[in-house]
Amino acid sequence: GGEKFEAGLSLVMRHDGNGSISGRVTLDAGWKNTDPDSASSFLPVSSRESVLSGASDRAAVVKARPAVTVLSYPQSEWFYSAVADSDGAYTLAGLPPGDYYVSSFAAYCMLEYYDNTTDPAKATLIRVEKDEAVTGIDMALNPMLYYWRNDSGLKLEGATSLSGKVRDDEGNAVAGASVYVLDSAGNALTFAVTGADGMYEITGLPAGNYFVQAGKPGYATQYNGTASDLSGAPPVNVAAGANTLNFTLAPGQSTGVDAPDGAKPVDIALLGCYPNPFNPETRIAFVLPEKMRAALRVYDSRGREVAVLCEGQLEAGRHERDWKGKDGNGQAMPSGMYFYRLEAESYAKTGKMILIR
């Protein structure tokens, strides 16, 4: 309503390791911001251009979120961040070893995950080894399409709003989930991010039929509230006035189950650990449908890698690995919650375990 609100922030630099991720953020091929003061000035061009256009208020923000995090808010939302410079270059520093979701956004541009997706479940994780500098993680952002509908200026048609709440399958609010409005071809038009209460709101859309997608790293993406795939989602009619659409996100699921003795498993599956809680050791089991490269790692509650239980080519079938509550140097770890993560080809799943001394 024209009022101004000022909020003072006190930020603490996160430095949990000596690893880093760097790259460059640009506008996607075919788009250029010709006027830093106008949101409607995205015009087709033949090559990629910087998303910044020399305007500080257009700086791209880049985030690295550990793939393994504490499950409770606000620790679950911790991340590392950087602001791209005038050339679009960025460096995310102070990273401990581990896997990261890398995402970026800028004014009037879509929030996107590496590599070129708005679906966090399809994001390519970036692996950082100890003290490693990972380079060349470039991102090309798409503009919010409905902001540049014509060349005459910013055009927000109709008094429409779409809002709702994103919950997990236990009914708890999901903070930091991204909600996208898609056109009939599945192109993202605009987005919002849920707050600590799980609520989102998108305003100013022209009335019409849309698809809506909600997702967050570590959860299975949902469309239009209930569909797990865009092809199975009926369009949502956004009419003039207030429209409500809620989502329930399930944790990212494995697609396989334990195979009977003598039978070949048909899918990759992380089967869990026993005992849990444990002292002094626990056994983690998983199955592979065929010979493939796989890794099983242990992380602490801050997402820092503690131990690598296996990594390399493994035969098909059931595998078991013991963790004796020690780090890679043989030092005993303190009591607390830890996470084990299986990665094999495009599969990744995390479980939690509690060490009690």
Side-chain angles (χ1 to χ4, degrees):
E3 296 182 2
K4 181 179 180 180
F5 177 80
E6 294 185 1
L9 302 176
S10 177
L11 303 182
V12 178
M13 182 71 73
R14 290 199 64 185
H15 187 92
D16 299 321
N18 295 318
S20 65
I21 299 173
S22 63
R24 187 168 182 260
V25 184
T26 63
L27 275 176
D28 201 356
W31 305 104
K32 180 180 179 181
N33 188 1
T34 59
D35 181 1
D37 297 323
S38 173
S40 63
S41 57
F42 291 107
L43 300 176
V45 294
S46 59
S47 62
R48 295 186 177 185
E49 299 290 343
S50 171
V51 77
L52 305 177
S53 298
S56 61
D57 62 344
R58 294 299 168 88
V61 176
V62 188
K63 296 170 57 177
R65 182 182 186 273
V68 179
T69 64
V70 177
L71 300 182
S72 59
Y73 183 88
Q75 290 87 351
S76 60
E77 306 310 308
W78 284 354
F79 58 87
Y80 302 85
S81 63
V83 178
D85 64 18
S86 59
D87 293 324
Y90 73 90
T91 299
L92 295 154
L95 307 182
D99 297 304
Y100 295 89
Y101 291 92
V102 178
S103 61
S104 180
F105 65 91
Y108 306 112
C109 289
M110 305 301 302
L111 167 67
E112 297 186 29
Y113 295 86
Y114 187 80
D115 184 17
N116 193 33
T117 182
T118 57
D119 185 348
K122 297 179 181 179
T124 300
L125 295 180
I126 303 302
R127 174 73 182 170
V128 177
E129 303 292 350
K130 183 178 180 181
D131 299 341
E132 180 185 18
V134 180
T135 61
I137 306 304
D138 298 334
M139 303 188 69
L141 304 183
N142 287 299
M144 290 187 186
L145 298 183
Y146 87 106
Y147 273 137
W148 57 271
R149 288 166 51 83
N150 57 47
D151 297 337
S152 62
L154 182 61
K155 189 174 183 180
L156 300 179
E157 292 187 358
T160 67
S161 70
L162 178 65
S163 62
K165 187 168 187 176
V166 180
R167 300 179 175 88
D168 62 20
D169 55 2
E170 296 181 352
N172 301 309
V174 177
S178 50
V179 180
Y180 296 86
V181 175
L182 313 175
D183 64 15
S184 59
N187 300 311
L189 303 177
T190 187
F191 77 100
V193 177
T194 60
D197 57 0
M199 298 298 296
Y200 75 92
E201 182 177 21
I202 297 172
T203 61
L205 281 172
N209 292 324
Y210 300 94
F211 296 95
V212 187
Q213 165 195 313
K216 182 181 178 180
Y219 290 85
T221 300
Q222 291 288 306
Y223 295 87
N224 297 7
T226 58
S228 59
D229 186 83
L230 181 61
S231 62
V236 174
N237 181 259
V238 178
N243 302 265
T244 301
L245 183 62
N246 299 318
F247 291 88
T248 299
L249 301 183
Q253 298 290 326
S254 65
T255 57
V257 297
D258 196 5
D261 292 341
K264 181 181 179 181
V266 296
D267 288 301
I268 304 169
L270 180 60
L271 304 177
C273 67
Y274 182 83
N276 189 19
F278 69 96
N279 181 23
E281 65 183 73
T282 187
R283 177 164 295 179
I284 305 168
F286 60 94
V287 294
L288 302 176
E290 58 188 40
K291 185 177 181 179
M292 64 178 63
R293 184 173 181 82
L296 182 65
R297 299 183 176 93
V298 177
Y299 300 83
D300 66 13
S301 60
R302 296 188 68 180
R304 297 174 296 192
E305 184 178 286
V306 171
V308 180
L309 302 185
C310 67
E311 184 174 22
Q313 288 290 123
L314 299 178
E315 299 294 332
R318 182 186 176 100
H319 297 265
E320 296 180 348
R321 294 293 186 273
D322 295 335
W323 186 51
K324 301 181 184 297
K326 298 180 180 181
D327 65 13
N329 297 319
Q331 298 296 314
M333 300 300 295
S335 298
M337 180 179 294
Y338 293 85
F339 301 88
Y340 54 95
R341 181 176 178 84
L342 174 66
E343 298 174 358
E345 295 185 345
S346 60
Y347 174 96
K349 188 175 181 184
T350 302
K352 62 181 178 179
M353 53 189 173
I354 298 177
L355 170 61
I356 300 177
R357 294 293 187 186

